[in-house]
Amino acid sequence: MTDLPSPRPYRVLSLDGGGAKGFYTLGALKEIEAVAGRPLCETFNLIYGTSTGAIIAALLGLGSRVEEIESLYRLRVVEVMGEILPRRKTAALEALAQDVFGERRFDAFKTDMGIVGTRWDDDRPIIFKTNAGQAFTGVGSFEPGFGCTIADAVVGSCSAYPFFLKKMVTTGRGDRIEVRDGGFVANNPTLYAVADAVESLGHDRENLSGRQSRRGRISRADTSGHQRTEMDQQMADGKILAETVGDQHAVDGAAKPCVVWRCAPYPYQREVHTARDGNRHA
């Protein structure tokens, strides 16, 4: 009997919030992109981001290279963070989002996405997603990004009240939702990204495990036994600054590895987030 080749891993990229410290994240992503040799939207099957991580995630999902994003950060994000008054910070953030994303919506993304915000009314997460396969409920009525523009979703995810004003988002159904920074529910969105992979997309959570590194270096958690690519090996050897939080899943009875890479702008940050039932309604 001939052994079937191991399937390619399902890769998830999770990007923390952290304001201008997103430069740390970009440094890690630059190394990953160099090893991958292609845009990260072609490397990762699912990209999640919170706050400054949402800006980076959205740009990666649209096909931008890391060097382009870094140039944008040096020019525009520093300007936003340099403003003092909430009104002026918000205006600068809105201008940045409009200039970069325009009126594009979630169907413009080249890979699956999750942009994490917080509903002001009940402190529950609101997660802007790309396809119905990621939905926990309401698959039949699913609208990518709730029908919002990418710019509105990103601004909502970045609106760290009271430093920024709260963001009012209008959905495709005409509902108006007041959104603030996703860091209020998940500055580290890895748990939500994994929930998409193992709950919404049907992968086996019993095969999902993980660790994380204190210094932003790789801590390997893949036990799937799949054939490692060069990128996997270099990450595992700690040659790329990033973190891994998960491993394999199974689909239709066939083992399929799921590898989750987390980039945190706080090198010594250690966080534990508890899933809230509100995520099931995102």
Side-chain angles (χ1 to χ4, degrees):
M1 180 177 176
T2 303
D3 292 334
L4 294 176
S6 298
R8 293 183 63 82
Y10 182 91
R11 293 194 180 95
V12 180
L13 179 64
S14 177
L15 306 178
D16 287 25
K21 292 183 175 66
F23 281 112
Y24 287 107
T25 295
L26 290 168
L29 293 176
K30 186 179 293 186
E31 295 295 326
I32 297 173
E33 185 182 71
V35 173
R38 59 184 183 272
L40 293 184
C41 66
E42 299 175 11
T43 302
F44 291 96
N45 305 92
L46 176 64
I47 301 178
Y48 253 69
T50 295
S51 197
T52 196
I55 299 175
I56 299 171
L59 288 166
L60 291 175
L62 291 169
S64 296
R65 304 303 289 257
V66 177
E67 186 174 352
E68 298 170 354
I69 301 173
E70 186 176 39
S71 297
L72 173 72
Y73 256 64
R74 293 187 185 281
L75 179 65
R76 300 295 300 274
V77 174
V78 172
E79 290 180 357
V80 173
M81 302 307 296
E83 295 290 353
I84 298 176
L85 297 177
R87 176 177 55 81
R88 293 179 64 87
K89 268 187 182 297
T90 301
L93 177 61
E94 293 271 10
L96 181 156
Q98 190 60 44
D99 290 346
V100 172
F101 302 113
E103 296 301 316
R104 285 182 289 184
R105 298 180 184 269
F106 276 63
D107 57 3
F109 284 122
K110 299 179 180 181
T111 191
D112 286 336
M113 300 289 303
I115 303 298
V116 180
T118 304
R119 297 177 187 266
W120 175 258
D121 289 343
D122 55 14
D123 285 334
R124 290 174 177 262
I126 176 170
I127 305 178
F128 301 85
K129 303 180 180 183
T130 44
N131 79 67
Q134 296 171 262
F136 285 91
T137 59
V139 175
S141 59
F142 178 86
E143 277 190 283
F146 297 104
C148 300
T149 64
I150 296 172
D152 280 348
V154 168
V155 170
S157 181
C158 293
S159 295
Y161 184 83
F163 303 103
F164 291 82
L165 303 180
K166 291 167 283 187
K167 173 67 176 177
M168 187 65 73
V169 170
T170 302
T171 70
R173 302 176 186 176
D175 299 325
R176 289 172 60 79
I177 302 173
E178 204 165 23
V179 181
R180 55 178 171 163
D181 194 286
F184 286 104
V185 289
N187 194 58
N188 165 15
T190 301
L191 185 60
Y192 293 153
V194 171
D196 261 16
V198 302
E199 297 289 343
S200 300
L201 299 174
H203 308 314
D204 187 359
R205 77 164 76 196
E206 292 181 1
N207 291 324
L208 193 69
S209 63
R211 299 174 291 157
Q212 53 184 315
S213 162
R214 291 186 61 188
R215 296 174 183 263
R217 296 183 68 83
I218 282 298
S219 176
R220 190 68 186 175
D222 180 23
T223 60
S224 61
H226 73 280
Q227 184 65 39
R228 290 184 179 180
T229 63
E230 180 184 358
M231 184 175 75
D232 290 329
Q233 187 61 54
Q234 291 200 30
M235 287 179 171
D237 292 342
K239 295 177 182 177
I240 295 178
L241 302 181
E243 299 186 28
T244 180
V245 200
D247 50 14
Q248 84 175 45
H249 58 269
V251 181
D252 298 329
K256 185 179 180 184
C258 176
V259 184
V260 183
W261 305 107
R262 174 195 171 205
C263 291
Y266 297 102
Y268 297 96
Q269 158 179 300
R270 302 184 72 180
E271 296 182 80
V272 177
H273 291 286
T274 302
R276 303 179 64 174
D277 183 63
N279 184 50
R280 294 185 175 274
H281 306 289

